[in-house]
Amino acid sequence: MEKIGLLIIDMQVAMFSFEDNLPYQGEMVVNNIRKMFNLARIKHVPLIYVQHNEQEGEFLRGSATWQIFPALAPLVGEPIVEKTTSDSFFRTDLQQQLSTLGITRLIIMGMQSEFCVDATTRSAKKHGYDPILVSDAHSTMDNNGQTSKSIVNRQNRILGQEFAELMSTEEVLELLK
């Protein structure tokens, strides 16, 4: 039997710290994630947080900007997987956490669409999780001359073709009911 878990990737203060380059539809993405994790908690669907670490800068472990965005903070006991690369499975205990929780399918959301969301979605597929990517619950900032909107749309298209089933927040909420 399928057991679903929500994977919330890199929703950290740093992602919202650049006032001149905020995430595409950032407020909507935060609200969509909140809707899903609130229902998931009511329905006892496991939530797993992923938190990016670096040796310096905004993702320095323990710094103010490294913290998970306050509106999305985990409850005591909800697992947090710390990572140092884009792939949330690489050199982390994510696989072990998922096995311990009995999760067989992942619903993926978070930051940044073209980096950690992309790498983790592909890796989840490779690890046999048949992932769902929530099309309106991941985001990024403008990057390398590309608008954040075009990056999000491209990632939905690419990942939805062969690496994940695309669902909207509303569709995920129906699935969780």
Side-chain angles (χ1 to χ4, degrees):
M1 183 171 171
E2 180 176 84
K3 183 170 181 185
I4 292 174
L6 270 63
L7 190 64
I8 303 167
I9 302 171
D10 297 351
M11 291 302 292
Q12 292 165 259
V13 172
M15 297 295 182
F16 299 86
S17 296
F18 304 101
E19 291 187 22
D20 60 335
N21 196 12
L22 291 171
Y24 174 65
Q25 297 184 323
E27 188 176 326
M28 181 194 78
V29 168
V30 168
N31 288 335
N32 286 346
I33 292 172
R34 283 182 60 104
K35 288 177 197 174
M36 287 181 282
F37 82 43
N38 284 335
L39 182 58
R41 286 174 175 155
I42 290 167
K43 297 291 187 176
H44 306 288
V45 173
L47 278 70
I48 301 95
Y49 287 81
V50 177
Q51 192 169 23
H52 191 75
N53 293 317
E54 291 181 359
Q55 296 296 322
E56 59 187 2
E58 295 87 11
F59 296 99
L60 177 65
R61 188 173 201 281
S63 69
T65 53
W66 172 81
Q67 304 299 324
I68 293 173
F69 196 68
L72 302 173
L75 298 177
V76 173
E78 289 177 334
I80 301 171
V81 174
E82 294 186 22
K83 67 176 181 59
T84 57
T85 68
S86 292
D87 181 353
S88 300
F89 287 89
F90 185 69
R91 294 187 177 152
T92 71
D93 67 346
L94 178 57
Q95 180 73 39
Q96 181 182 351
Q97 295 271 0
L98 297 173
S99 293
T100 298
L101 293 167
I103 294 171
T104 58
R105 189 152 200 215
L106 282 176
I107 299 174
I108 297 174
M109 59 200 77
M111 294 287 289
Q112 281 179 264
S113 303
E114 74 278 33
F115 297 115
C116 301
V117 171
D118 180 278
T120 300
T121 301
R122 291 170 188 255
S123 193
K125 178 74 169 183
K126 185 180 101 180
H127 283 85
Y129 286 100
D130 194 23
I132 295 168
L133 177 63
V134 188
S135 61
D136 56 357
H138 66 92
S139 189
T140 194
M141 290 72 79
D142 294 347
N143 192 2
N144 291 326
Q146 297 177 38
T147 66
S148 52
K149 179 180 180 178
S150 69
I151 295 168
V152 169
N153 289 337
R154 181 190 71 223
Q155 291 307 123
N156 280 335
R157 187 178 62 254
I158 290 170
L159 294 172
Q161 284 176 349
E162 79 178 272
F163 298 102
E165 179 180 352
L166 282 182
M167 285 190 179
S168 67
T169 296
E170 292 306 315
E171 290 170 319
V172 169
L173 292 172
E174 283 302 310
L175 177 69
L176 294 176
K177 288 181 182 175

